[in-house]
């Protein structure tokens, strides 16, 4: 069976400014700001729409390809 | 599927930002209210250890989103790397605080009577705009001087925010916003404890 490829948002924590733009644009409420330090994306909730990645002013959110085996 | 969320009161704080910018030139004492944008984020980060101010209540952030995103006034290009770097962020914070202390010193000199009140709005720390229309009856000169100084800071940072909104992402300002950098640092320190 060919593994299905899925995109998921990933935050580069060192340059995240925790402004919360990504939280506001996420249609699935998959992003939270961890104690005002950086954003965290929930792997289960992220559908890979890349809205956060486009909106992030600090350019810290990348869309990564994930392989799903089932 | 996205469910339509109920509009919340704090999503309209951009209106307060606009009112502040428009009303202060008419009565410079109004500029004092800008201190709320200084103390509220600091208090939230110190007491709660989060950036709820940036995330929810920042009127300027909302205004930039509105203009850049909804009204499509932003080029939506990536913020340049140097602007996103920690050197620039912390450097700008130091510069901003220096200018803030400088403004407080000017206010102090007026309070002590060593300098006379200057009715000037200084834009981008350089350009002086004489402003004699602002009402300030019943207030001591130093209170008025602080109003001018503080409004100059608020207007300057709004202009910078608007320029980077036009050039880059709507909320590029948030990357180097001194308040954001400060509150994030406080949150980091609090987390380390």
């Amino acid at each position: 069976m060919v593994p299905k490829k899925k995109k998921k948002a990933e935050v580069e924590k060192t340059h995240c400014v925790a402004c919360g733009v990504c939280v506001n644009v996420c249609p699935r409420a998959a992003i939270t700001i961890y104690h005002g330090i950086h954003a965290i994306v929930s792997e289960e909730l992220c559908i890979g729409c890349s809205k956060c990645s486009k909106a992030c002013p600090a350019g810290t959110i990348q869309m990564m390809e994930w392989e799903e085996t089932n | 599927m996205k469910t339509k969320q109920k509009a919340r009161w704090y999503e309209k704080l951009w209106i307060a930002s606009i009112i502040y910018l428009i009303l202060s030139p008419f009565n410079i004492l109004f500029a004092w209210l800008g201190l709320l944008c200084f103390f509220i984020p600091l208090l939230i980060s110190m007491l709660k250890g989060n950036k709820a101010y940036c995330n929810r209540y920042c009127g300027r952030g909302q205004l930039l989103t509105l203009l850049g995103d909804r009204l499509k006034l932003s080029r939506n290009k990536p913020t340049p790397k140097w602007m996103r770097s920690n050197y620039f962020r912390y450097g700008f914070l130091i510069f901003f605080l220096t200018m803030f202390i400088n403004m407080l010193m000017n206010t102090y000199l007026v309070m002590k009577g060593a300098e006379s009140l200057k009715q000037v709005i200084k834009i981008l720390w350089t350009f002086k705009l004489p402003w004699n229309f602002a009402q300030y009856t019943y207030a001591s000169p130093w209170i008025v001087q602080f109003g001018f100084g503080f409004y100059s800071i608020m207007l300057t940072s709004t202009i910078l925010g608007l320029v980077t909104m036009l050039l880059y992402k709507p909320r590029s300002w948030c990357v180097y916003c001194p308040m954001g950098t400060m509150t994030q640092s406080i949150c980091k320190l609090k987390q380390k404890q």
Side-chain angles (χ1 to χ4, degrees):
Chain A
M1 198 174 123
V2 186
K4 228 172 34 181
K5 276 189 178 168
K6 262 191 166 182
K7 275 186 176 176
K8 296 241 184 237
E10 210 174 87
V11 183
E12 193 228 315
K13 289 168 191 162
T14 46
H15 284 96
C16 176
V17 296
C19 61
V21 171
C22 49
V23 178
N24 294 335
V25 295
C26 180
R28 295 273 310 210
I31 313 179
T32 44
I33 303 292
Y34 175 77
H35 293 292
I37 302 172
H38 57 74
I40 294 179
V41 184
S42 154
E43 284 170 23
E44 293 90 61
L45 291 173
C46 180
I47 47 166
C49 68
S50 73
K51 276 190 179 175
C52 54
S53 169
K54 282 174 194 152
C56 178
T60 56
I61 305 182
Q62 305 294 326
M63 300 311 293
M64 304 301 250
E65 282 199 343
W66 282 52
E67 278 187 12
E68 284 212 341
T69 39
N70 54 329
Chain B
M1 208 194 307
K2 190 179 181 178
T3 48
K4 202 167 162 63
Q5 282 181 340
K6 225 172 82 180
R8 293 173 203 274
W9 65 270
Y10 55 76
E11 287 170 9
K12 302 283 177 210
L13 284 171
W14 58 272
I15 299 171
S17 272
I18 294 180
I19 291 174
Y20 176 82
L21 289 170
I22 293 174
L23 284 192
S24 299
F26 293 101
N27 188 329
I28 204 68
L29 297 181
F30 209 77
W32 275 77
L33 280 177
L35 279 176
L36 291 173
C37 306
F38 264 61
F39 288 118
I40 294 173
L42 289 176
L43 283 176
I44 291 179
S45 64
M46 281 191 266
L47 300 175
K48 299 250 178 184
N50 64 37
K51 290 214 342 169
Y53 186 84
C54 300
N55 304 161
R56 287 195 197 136
Y57 310 115
C58 179
R60 180 175 303 169
Q62 291 171 10
L63 184 64
L64 293 172
T65 305
L66 184 83
L67 296 174
D69 200 34
R70 249 188 277 171
L71 299 182
K72 307 220 180 304
L73 291 174
S74 172
R75 289 199 314 159
N76 241 321
K77 300 276 179 208
T79 312
K81 240 184 176 163
W82 60 267
M83 202 179 267
R84 295 175 346 213
S85 71
N86 283 332
Y87 288 113
F88 182 74
R89 289 183 66 210
Y90 288 98
F92 187 74
L93 171 64
I94 292 165
F95 172 72
F96 194 86
L97 287 179
T98 311
M99 295 320 247
F100 187 72
I101 291 165
N102 186 40
M103 185 274 286
L104 289 180
M105 281 308 293
N106 282 336
T107 309
Y108 180 74
L109 290 176
V110 172
M111 187 199 259
K112 287 283 156 194
E115 291 267 356
S116 56
L117 168 67
K118 288 179 200 74
Q119 295 186 63
V120 167
I121 294 172
K122 218 175 186 182
I123 298 165
L124 297 168
W125 303 284
T126 318
F127 308 106
K128 289 177 182 168
L129 178 70
W131 196 263
N132 299 317
F133 318 107
Q135 294 284 316
Y136 60 88
T137 19
Y138 315 119
S140 319
W142 73 271
I143 291 179
V144 179
Q145 188 64 68
F146 181 84
F148 274 107
F150 202 80
Y151 184 68
S152 301
I153 289 178
M154 294 298 276
L155 188 64
T156 297
S157 48
T158 307
I159 291 170
L160 287 178
L162 288 173
V163 170
T164 45
M165 175 211 74
L166 291 172
L167 294 175
Y168 312 114
K169 299 267 174 185
R171 279 180 69 162
S172 285
W173 162 253
C174 299
V175 175
Y176 62 98
C177 168
M179 292 316 295
T181 313
M182 250 195 285
T183 49
Q184 193 187 24
S185 307
I186 293 169
C187 289
K188 279 181 183 168
L189 286 174
K190 232 180 130 78
Q191 196 58 25
K192 266 189 194 163
Q193 276 176 2

